[in-house]
């Protein structure tokens, strides 16, 4: 059984200008010990999907099914979701300061999580906090446990956040753009840390990112999102070897080369569609250099088995899926 099974997930926000469908019919599953990279530009729906999995979208209309460790998240009462969030799933964000309390030392905060979730004594929880800080590579963890979050650099703060996430011994770690604010060297170190703890603890990891380069480093499987939908889904090796969707090819083509400038993806020509008025047909067609007539009128569906893509070109291509 999958640790996480998402079926036909839709997330709709009500705005002054009308309803906005941020996620539309998303389905995927994640097995224990695997890393799934969800990739897309800003506004693709990837973060809305991850917040729905965490049960953190109070103001939105969420439908479909999110089954986490056998428990249904959609429609569950707050207490049930909170318990699940504490023990089964933890999340780290781009900005650790948004999740760490500025007035308590990092050791106190990690120890508090241990005490809350496992009923550890004060002394045991403090020892476990120091051990977790050591495990994520904080030098002098005994000393540093007494420091407040603002005394750590960006990379060290993200390590603290990972220690905090591990304090609850989750089965699933959701990492939403965890390295976007960091320089390239520190980014590589944090990705290596996430990959190590994933291996050692057998965690499932959902890596949410705009950067296929991040996915290439850590993911077993990849799901590419555009305008709230999955447009390509495949094992990472297959996707990087033969990307089937023009949007994925655009993302790959704009990855920085080793000799080129590091960091953000160069944008694909044009902009993602407004979620208030998505185009008819394939939502990528206004930006797609390969579009054909049917693209402007008929929405393509995901085709294939282990390697899937939603593009009309695949219905005429031979032997490209499966
Ligand atoms: Fe491009 Fe058409 Fe494929 Fe959409 S369906 S990605 S517009 S070729």
């Amino acid at each position: 059984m999958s640790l996480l099974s998402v079926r036909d997930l839709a997330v709709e926000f009500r705005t002054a200008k009308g309803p906005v469908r941020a996620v539309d019919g998303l389905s995927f599953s994640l097995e224990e010990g695997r890393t799934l990279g969800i990739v897309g530009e800003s506004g693709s729906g990837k973060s809305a999907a991850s917040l729905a999995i965490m049960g953190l979208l109070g103001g939105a209309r969420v439908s479909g099914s999110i089954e986490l460790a056998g428990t249904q998240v959609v429609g569950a009462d707050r207490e049930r979701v909170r318990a699940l969030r504490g023990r089964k799933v933890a999340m780290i964000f781009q900005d650790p300061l948004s999740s760490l309390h500025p007035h308590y030392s990092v050791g106190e905060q990690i120890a508090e999580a241990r005490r809350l979730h496992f009923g550890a004594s004060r002394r045991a929880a403090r020892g476990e906090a120091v051990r977790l800080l050591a495990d994520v590579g904080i030098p002098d963890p005994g000393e540093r446990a007494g420091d407040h979050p603002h005394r750590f650099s960006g990379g060290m703060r993200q390590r603290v956040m990972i220690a905090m996430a591990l304090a609850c011994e989750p089965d699933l770690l959701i990492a939403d753009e965890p390295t976007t604010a960091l320089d390239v060297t520190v980014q590589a170190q944090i990705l290596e840390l996430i990959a190590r703890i994933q291996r050692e603890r057998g965690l499932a990891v959902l890596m949410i990112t705009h950067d296929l380069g991040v996915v290439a480093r850590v993911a077993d499987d990849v799901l590419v999102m555009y305008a709230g939908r999955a447009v390509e889904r495949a094992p990472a090796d297959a996707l990087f070897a033969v990307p089937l969707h023009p949007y994925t090819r655009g993302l790959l083509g704009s990855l920085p080369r080793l000799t080129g400038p590091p960091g953000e993806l160069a944008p694909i020509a044009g902009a993602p569609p407004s979620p208030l008025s998505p185009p008819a047909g394939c939502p990528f067609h206004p930006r797609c250099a390969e579009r054909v007539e049917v693209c402007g009128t008929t929405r393509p569906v995901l085709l294939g088995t282990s390697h899937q893509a939603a593009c009309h070109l695949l219905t005429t291509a031979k032997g490209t899926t499966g």
Side-chain angles (χ1 to χ4, degrees):
M1 190 180 70
S2 300
L3 175 65
L4 173 66
S5 175
V6 174
R7 290 284 160 261
D8 209 19
L9 176 67
V11 175
E12 197 171 278
F13 295 99
R14 281 185 210 93
T15 72
K17 292 184 178 166
V20 165
R21 194 159 261 237
V23 180
D24 190 6
L26 183 67
S27 298
F28 66 88
S29 55
L30 178 56
E31 312 295 323
E32 283 175 19
R34 303 279 292 180
T35 297
L36 172 67
I38 299 190
V39 192
E41 289 165 294
S42 171
S44 63
K46 59 191 192 306
S47 290
S50 67
L51 290 172
I53 293 164
M54 287 290 283
L56 289 173
L57 280 179
R61 217 172 112 197
V62 180
S63 62
S65 166
I66 299 171
E67 217 170 284
L68 178 59
T71 300
Q72 180 58 241
V73 175
V74 178
D77 63 64
R78 276 181 189 206
E79 276 316 304
R80 201 174 168 86
V81 172
R82 193 175 299 153
L84 206 59
R85 197 156 64 221
R87 285 302 307 271
K88 294 291 180 192
V89 52
M91 192 162 184
I92 58 175
F93 299 92
Q94 181 174 334
D95 176 14
L97 280 184
S98 64
S99 308
L100 292 167
H101 199 295
H103 297 142
Y104 295 95
S105 72
V106 300
E108 281 175 295
Q109 294 184 58
I110 297 169
E112 184 61 16
R114 294 294 299 186
R115 276 159 42 77
L116 263 179
H117 290 292
F118 298 100
S121 70
R122 225 167 252 286
R123 190 186 165 87
R126 157 98 192 163
E128 282 158 9
V130 172
R131 182 174 52 74
L132 279 165
L133 288 171
D135 198 24
V136 298
I138 302 287
D140 300 323
E143 285 283 313
R144 301 299 321 261
D147 284 340
H148 289 66
H150 70 271
R151 301 204 29 111
F152 292 81
S153 66
M156 286 293 156
R157 223 177 265 150
Q158 198 53 283
R159 287 176 190 268
V160 168
M161 197 58 235
I162 293 169
M164 185 91 177
L166 295 179
C168 303
E169 299 182 8
D171 297 326
L172 169 65
L173 177 69
I174 301 179
D176 191 352
E177 304 277 9
T179 59
T180 301
L182 305 173
D183 73 43
V184 176
T185 312
V186 180
Q187 184 177 52
Q189 292 166 355
I190 295 296
L191 291 176
E192 175 48 38
L193 171 63
I194 292 173
R196 175 172 67 77
I197 59 171
Q198 190 274 333
R199 277 195 309 272
E200 290 176 358
R201 294 168 183 256
L203 277 177
V205 175
L206 201 56
M207 177 66 72
I208 312 288
T209 178
H210 68 285
D211 187 346
L212 266 177
V214 167
V215 166
R217 283 173 184 266
V218 296
D220 301 303
D221 302 287
V222 187
L223 188 154
V224 182
M225 283 188 76
Y226 190 80
R229 291 186 161 232
V231 296
E232 185 156 3
R233 195 166 63 184
D237 291 352
L239 182 126
F240 286 107
V242 187
L244 297 179
H245 197 281
Y247 177 61
T248 311
R249 286 199 282 275
L251 290 177
L252 273 169
S254 59
L255 271 181
R257 304 282 171 269
L258 283 176
T259 52
E264 296 271 312
L265 296 173
I268 299 168
S274 161
L276 279 165
S277 54
C282 172
F284 188 57
H285 87 261
R287 305 170 76 185
C288 183
E290 300 175 54
R291 65 180 174 265
V292 290
E293 204 175 332
V294 67
C295 301
T297 54
T298 308
R299 191 182 274 263
V301 295
L302 277 174
L303 293 175
T305 50
S306 68
H307 190 166
Q308 300 181 309
C311 174
H312 290 305
L313 298 180
L314 298 180
T315 54
T316 50
K318 287 183 190 146
T320 49
T321 59

